[in-house]
Amino acid sequence: FVGRHEPDIPLARKRLEGELLEIGIDELVMDEAEAAGLLASAGIDLDDEEVADLVGLTEGWPGGIGLAALAYGNSGGYRRSALGRDRYVIGYMIDEVLAGLDPAVSDFMLRSSVLERMSPSLLDTLLGIEHSSRLLDEIERSGNLFLIRIDNDGEWYRYHHLFRDAL
């Protein structure tokens, strides 16, 4: 099975029996050398510090690094502060992430993006609603990889840096 959602099969048993190969976000991120190679293949020459900064901003997401190559190729150079506002990045986020969401969910994501980290209770207070926990669960279950749980209890979350900047 390949996909953004966990399949409806007994994964715990498959893990225990060693019959499951899981490739997740941690295995798919690019390191600085890989990012530099991708950028070089697009004709973008950044110094080591700029590549490290870009990898940090994109969190190694290959798509984000590719979008940065498009943005930098058209703008003539590295500008970290402008990447989250670049038309290619914003276009991707709108077309591929937000367009398929219920309007209430996309509005929630936009309004909650003012926070670097968030909890359901904090969001309920800030946004004046009573269902942030349900919305966060819905976003997480949707396979949206731009919402990141930062604890095991589901109490604290954050958005991917580039996604938050684009929001």
Side-chain angles (χ1 to χ4, degrees), residues 73-112:
N74 288 329
S75 71
Y78 180 72
R79 299 175 326 178
R80 180 191 206 279
S81 63
L83 186 58
R85 296 184 309 272
D86 178 77
R87 66 185 174 113
Y88 293 114
V89 173
I90 291 173
Y92 179 87
M93 297 304 178
I94 290 171
D95 294 346
E96 298 297 325
V97 181
L98 298 175
L101 297 176
D102 177 280
V105 173
S106 58
D107 180 63
F108 170 80
M109 293 178 86
L110 180 62
R111 293 174 61 211
S112 61

Side-chain angles (χ1 to χ4, degrees), residues 109-120:
M109 293 178 86
L110 180 62
R111 293 174 61 211
S112 61
S113 69
V114 299
L115 299 171
E116 287 188 34
R117 27 177 284 168
M118 56 200 152
S119 70

Side-chain angles (χ1 to χ4, degrees), residues 11-137:
L11 293 177
R13 178 176 298 278
K14 298 288 185 192
R15 282 184 190 106
L16 182 63
E17 294 171 351
E19 295 180 11
L20 184 65
L21 172 63
E22 293 181 88
I23 301 172
I25 294 171
D26 293 338
E27 291 79 22
L28 297 174
V29 298
M30 292 184 137
D31 62 23
E32 292 171 18
E34 293 165 326
L38 175 67
L39 293 165
S41 72
I44 308 298
D45 183 32
L46 301 183
D47 64 35
D48 292 346
E49 186 176 309
E50 291 169 333
V51 171
D53 189 52
L54 177 62
V55 169
L57 176 63
T58 61
E59 300 183 43
W61 173 45
I65 295 167
L67 289 168
L70 288 172
Y72 300 149
N74 288 329
S75 71
Y78 180 72
R79 299 175 326 178
R80 180 191 206 279
S81 63
L83 186 58
R85 296 184 309 272
D86 178 77
R87 66 185 174 113
Y88 293 114
V89 173
I90 291 173
Y92 179 87
M93 297 304 178
I94 290 171
D95 294 346
E96 298 297 325
V97 181
L98 298 175
L101 297 176
D102 177 280
V105 173
S106 58
D107 180 63
F108 170 80
M109 293 178 86
L110 180 62
R111 293 174 61 211
S112 61
S113 69
V114 299
L115 299 171
E116 287 188 34
R117 27 177 284 168
M118 56 200 152
S119 70
S121 60
L122 176 61
L123 289 168
D124 283 350
T125 301
L126 177 71
L127 303 178
I129 59 178
E130 297 179 357
H131 56 280
S132 295
S133 181
R134 181 183 56 80
L135 288 168
L136 290 166
D137 286 342

